Amino acid sequence: MKDRIEALLAKTGFSSNGIFVMDGSSRSGHGNAYFTGLGKNKRIVFYDTLLEKLSVDEVEAVLAHELGHFKHGHIKQRFIEGALISLAGLALLGCLVQLPEFYVGLGMTTQSPAIALLLFMTAVPTLFFWLSPLMAIKSRTHEFEADTFAAQHASAASLVSALLGMYRDNASTLTPHPLYSAYHDSHPPAKIRIDHLKSLQS
Ligand SMILES: [Zn+2]
């Protein structure tokens, strides 16, 4: 498996500082894989549960998908967006902390920075809930791009079977309601993703 992974890394021009296996099985049965580190210190980490459950072809396809995210700059983009959103959030908090209406409107009689922070963390996310489909559209586009990359550098069929296995293990539906999915899922519904991968394969 290590040879196949290293061959894929060489083929896609990805330099990493090592491939690691994480003990995920002592916490849960969920399988996962991720990148960590910056610059030349990038590391690839696989959960032992993922390696146990997936075939070599499937692991290669999952890694190719993750490499697709990296090659398309999704990780950097998300990092910058996250920093900007945090900055905007803190600016908003800076305004709200001075507004008596903010406390009264959310049922508080005393005003203090601690209460403002607590209200901000618990109540404000619900006010922005309606925006979540907008965020999801972006991350779904990224998933399709990463899947396309995976189909080019590994097997689309293996990615489909790996996905089906993960959906089965997580007991999640393959066909969620489109409206529910638009609000709650960062990834496209399984059926749409699988149809897309199959179209790339043919
Ligand atoms: Zn992805």
Side-chain angles (χ1 to χ4, degrees), residues 9 13 53 70 134 141 147 183 193:
L9 294 177
K53 283 175 189 163
F70 187 81
L134 292 176
T141 313
D147 281 347
Y183 275 88
R193 236 180 122 182

Side-chain angles (χ1 to χ4, degrees), residues 65-66 69 143 146 187 193:
H65 172 95
E66 297 301 329
H69 279 307
E143 291 311 318
H187 285 54
R193 236 180 122 182

Side-chain angles (χ1 to χ4, degrees), residues 167 172-178 180-181 185 188-192 195:
Y167 276 93
S172 47
T173 175
L174 300 177
T175 52
H177 189 279
Y180 179 89
S181 181
D185 301 333
K191 176 157 186 342
I192 296 172
D195 288 346

Side-chain angles (χ1 to χ4, degrees), residues 43-163:
R43 289 167 183 190
I44 297 168
V45 182
F46 290 105
Y47 279 36
D48 55 349
T49 40
L50 187 92
L51 299 180
E52 239 166 64
K53 283 175 189 163
L54 302 187
S55 70
V56 178
D57 288 335
E58 289 170 342
V59 170
E60 187 188 47
V62 168
L63 178 62
H65 172 95
E66 297 301 329
L67 287 170
H69 279 307
F70 187 81
K71 288 283 167 185
H72 282 288
H74 298 161
I75 296 169
K76 204 185 284 173
Q77 202 176 321
R78 221 176 250 193
F79 184 74
I80 294 168
E81 276 170 12
L84 291 176
I85 290 172
S86 299
L87 202 61
L90 289 171
L92 180 66
L93 175 62
C95 295
L96 291 174
V97 77
Q98 298 163 33
L99 277 184
E101 293 86 349
F102 176 58
Y103 302 90
V104 177
L106 291 169
M108 301 303 283
T109 47
T110 44
Q111 300 177 13
S112 78
I115 288 174
L117 192 59
L118 202 64
L119 289 177
F120 191 72
M121 290 192 313
T122 53
V124 171
T126 34
L127 302 179
F128 288 101
F129 179 66
W130 60 277
L131 279 175
S132 45
L134 292 176
M135 310 296 272
I137 288 171
K138 187 103 179 271
S139 85
R140 282 156 183 242
T141 313
H142 287 176
E143 291 311 318
F144 285 124
E145 285 174 1
D147 281 347
T148 305
F149 186 90
Q152 283 161 354
H153 296 93
S155 151
S158 297
L159 188 54
V160 169
S161 64
L163 280 173

